Amino acid sequence: MPGNRALFDRAMEQSREAARLMNWDEALKQAARALQEFPQDLDARSAVAVAFFNTAKYAQALQIFDELRRIDASNPFYLEYLARTHEHLGNVKAATDAYVQLADLQMNRKLAARAIDALNEALRLQPDADDQRKRLAQLLADHGATADAAKHYLELARRCQARGQLDQAADLAETALRCEP
């Protein structure tokens, strides 16, 4: 039996208004009410998941965002919330993986600035992820942020030097100098 569209619309509007006011308990209550009317509605499910996240009910948020991600794998909103939720749950590897997937998605969408943000988040969580640092440095250099790119190349060079990989360290230092003489 189909739900009541008027009740759904009213609950969703009240949920949005409560979220705008950062009254997350009320936003959750109204989004859940909307979801009762149309349980498969993606907007209502998303609103419930965001409200769960903002009321620190991370396990519930993770479950819904994971389901939403499986339904729409090309939606960066779901992936970013998955990363943030994993981070709050203390699962650094899963959060980092989600941020890297988000960077890939944003690059495919030709949104380099957002890909850079996602890679920065991944490196914040795992600063020793040299592959991601190199990728970020290249992306920054390709988009004119040469000073930032040089910093990342120098950090990679320093890390190679510490591991005794002197040739690789020298190559990375030269790359940094080409970015920012």
Side-chain angles (χ1 to χ4, degrees):
M1 181 168 107
N4 184 318
R5 179 55 66 180
L7 284 176
F8 172 86
D9 290 341
R10 183 168 178 241
M12 285 298 291
E13 181 56 38
Q14 289 173 343
S15 177
R16 283 187 206 100
E17 180 62 19
R20 188 183 68 75
L21 296 172
M22 298 176 71
N23 182 352
W24 293 109
D25 289 324
E26 183 64 19
L28 177 57
K29 177 181 159 190
Q30 295 302 327
R33 196 173 85 181
L35 200 56
Q36 287 176 335
E37 295 301 320
F38 293 99
Q40 298 306 314
D41 185 87
L42 296 181
D43 287 338
R45 292 172 76 191
S46 181
V48 167
V50 170
F52 274 145
F53 178 86
N54 285 291
T55 55
K57 294 177 176 83
Y58 301 119
Q60 296 94 325
L62 182 64
Q63 181 182 354
I64 296 172
F65 280 125
D66 195 42
E67 290 169 7
L68 291 169
R69 172 80 171 132
R70 283 193 298 270
I71 292 168
D72 184 2
S74 65
N75 189 324
F77 177 81
Y78 302 147
L79 196 49
E80 184 172 354
Y81 264 103
L82 269 175
R84 292 172 60 198
T85 305
H86 277 299
E87 184 177 352
H88 280 282
L89 288 169
N91 192 343
V92 173
K93 171 125 178 57
T96 302
D97 290 348
Y99 280 125
V100 170
Q101 289 173 20
L102 179 59
D104 292 341
L105 180 64
Q106 298 295 27
M107 284 304 299
N108 289 337
R109 298 174 73 211
K110 308 284 189 242
L111 298 171
R114 291 187 179 168
I116 289 168
D117 290 343
L119 287 173
N120 275 320
E121 289 298 314
L123 284 172
R124 179 180 58 79
L125 295 174
Q126 280 191 317
D128 60 343
D130 289 349
D131 290 344
Q132 299 312 322
R133 186 173 301 280
K134 187 172 185 178
R135 186 174 170 207
L136 176 60
Q138 287 176 310
L139 191 55
L140 288 165
D142 291 347
H143 288 86
T146 54
D148 288 337
K151 289 176 190 174
H152 287 286
Y153 280 123
L154 286 174
E155 175 61 19
L156 286 165
R158 185 193 65 72
R159 294 173 59 76
C160 284
Q161 182 183 23
R163 290 190 301 264
Q165 299 167 324
L166 301 180
D167 289 341
Q168 196 173 3
D171 289 344
L172 288 163
E174 287 176 16
T175 303
L177 285 172
R178 281 193 300 276
C179 288
E180 193 72 16

